[in-house]
Amino acid sequence: MGDQVPRVGSYTENRSATPGAAQSAGGADGDDEPNKKYWFLNIKRYRRFFNVDTEDILIRIRDSVVGSYKADFFDKTTDNADLYGPFWVATTLVFVIAATGNYANYVSYRKKHSAATSTVQVWYSNVDKVGYSAILFYGYVGLVGLMLYACLRWWFKSKVSLAQVWCIYGYALSIFVPISFICILPYEWLRWLLVAIATSTSGLFLLTNFKAPIFDVAGAKALPIYVAVGVAHVALGLVLKLYFFQYWS
């Protein structure tokens, strides 16, 4: 980053930092102005959500995949949740899933019609997959994350931030990027297995990190919310397999 944009709460530094230190650093330059009429238009308020470097993002991606069974990602991002990584994870998936989904469809088509020589077979790419992929991933991270945040924040008065919820949801999708390339192989059992592995790994990451924030504030009402988080993620995996990596004709 440039000299004019100081680092705010590095992910690696936050492992030993005291709670709230990053927020104090972010407010040192006068960004926090709660009484300002149009405070949400102050770009400086959002700078800390994008003030990360490549190392921070790679570590978070690694932790979301390799450390999916650990529940410490939530604590590590309490004071320094970023939106830069989640945005690019989702954006990468939009184009990668659309491209690999089309190519997987073409490979399956060639495999099925390779022996058909009597008639001319024509295959067409489906450009609509780009739009549907954008709706799927941006909608999942943005809307599902927003609904969980609204439920915890206004229903149960949780102190969790929307940026942190989006951060966790965004990084949870990282594992789908490499999996999508392997799903090009024209074997349905392999595609189901890969999507199941990616869905279960990323779902475990979500559930382990949201378990404490949900059960600590919701009490007896926590289980339905917790189950809903898991069901929504399974639905994401099913849509991914049945629409993007399924050859129907």
Side-chain angles (χ1 to χ4, degrees), residues 127-141:
V127 296
D128 291 339
K129 286 188 176 182
V130 177
Y132 289 130
S133 182
I135 293 173
L136 177 64
F137 293 109
Y138 289 142
Y140 179 72
V141 175

Side-chain angles (χ1 to χ4, degrees), residues 46-154:
Y46 307 104
R47 182 175 58 182
R48 63 191 179 94
F49 298 126
F50 298 89
N51 197 13
V52 290
D53 58 22
T54 303
E55 181 184 3
D56 293 330
I57 294 174
L58 291 178
I59 291 175
R60 294 184 177 196
I61 291 176
R62 181 202 65 190
D63 288 350
S64 69
V65 178
V66 180
S68 59
Y69 58 92
K70 298 179 180 180
D72 58 351
F73 192 92
F74 184 90
D75 295 329
K76 292 176 181 177
T77 57
T78 297
D79 293 320
N80 63 346
D82 79 280
L83 299 179
Y84 185 83
F87 171 78
W88 281 111
V89 169
T91 301
T92 301
L93 279 170
V94 168
F95 294 100
V96 167
I97 292 295
T100 55
N102 266 307
Y103 196 71
N105 186 273
Y106 171 73
V107 172
S108 296
Y109 164 84
R110 288 296 300 269
K111 180 182 179 182
K112 181 176 181 179
H113 298 284
S114 59
T117 57
S118 58
T119 58
V120 178
Q121 300 291 336
V122 180
W123 176 84
Y124 297 97
S125 62
N126 185 359
V127 296
D128 291 339
K129 286 188 176 182
V130 177
Y132 289 130
S133 182
I135 293 173
L136 177 64
F137 293 109
Y138 289 142
Y140 179 72
V141 175
L143 295 180
V144 176
L146 180 61
M147 287 189 292
L148 177 60
Y149 165 77
C151 179
L152 294 178
R153 186 76 172 185
W154 288 300

